[in-house]
Amino acid sequence: MAGGRLVGGYHSWRCSVCGEPVLEGQRFLWLPGGRVVHLECVYGLLAEKRGEVPRGVAALLDAVEAVSYAIIRFKEAERLAAGTGEEDVLREQRKRLEGAAALLEKRLEEALREAGVELGGSES
């Protein structure tokens, strides 16, 4: 994840939906165009628009959250491994996870749009 500003060693952005801060490590989605949104904001929008979370969207939300959490854990593992020679393999695998996350997040945004949910502009 690029961009954002550092707060206590973690990146921080503004949620594209509510405008409140999003800190790396919180439950959030990284969307195409550099946008970030709290996971809770997505669920709130779905409740407002649909009254339910479509199964396909729920599956994508779960998958994106799991991959995002894995990326955070790999970043921490890289920090722990600094100077041991293991950080390169950890970084490589994290980057693979980031590629998978990008594909899932793009599909999620499309599925949300199909469900009538827009996640805000391009502010990051």
Side-chain angles (χ1 to χ4, degrees):
M1 286 175 259
R5 61 185 188 88
L6 287 178
V7 175
Y10 293 94
H11 284 96
S12 172
W13 303 269
R14 291 266 171 221
C15 177
S16 293
V17 173
C18 72
E20 293 295 319
V22 176
L23 291 177
E24 188 175 24
Q26 287 182 321
R27 292 172 40 143
F28 72 92
L29 304 174
W30 182 263
L31 299 170
R35 292 172 293 139
V36 176
V37 61
H38 293 109
L39 193 60
E40 288 76 11
C41 288
V42 174
Y43 281 111
L45 288 173
L46 282 164
E48 286 176 14
K49 297 280 184 182
R50 301 192 46 104
E52 66 179 1
V53 179
R55 286 178 45 187
V57 172
L60 288 167
L61 283 166
D62 281 350
V64 167
E65 184 177 15
V67 173
S68 295
Y69 181 71
I71 290 167
I72 298 287
R73 298 299 310 191
F74 268 78
K75 282 184 170 187
E76 184 59 28
E78 285 176 55
R79 288 182 192 116
L80 289 171
T84 68
E86 299 300 332
E87 61 269 23
D88 289 342
V89 70
L90 292 167
R91 185 177 308 106
E92 179 183 321
Q93 295 309 309
R94 174 181 51 83
K95 290 188 178 292
R96 293 176 88 183
L97 285 170
E98 288 172 346
L103 292 172
L104 288 168
E105 290 160 345
K106 184 173 191 242
R107 178 59 197 128
L108 174 60
E109 185 174 43
E110 292 167 359
L112 286 168
R113 196 173 301 121
E114 291 166 6
V117 174
E118 292 292 329
L119 297 178
S122 60
E123 183 180 320
S124 59

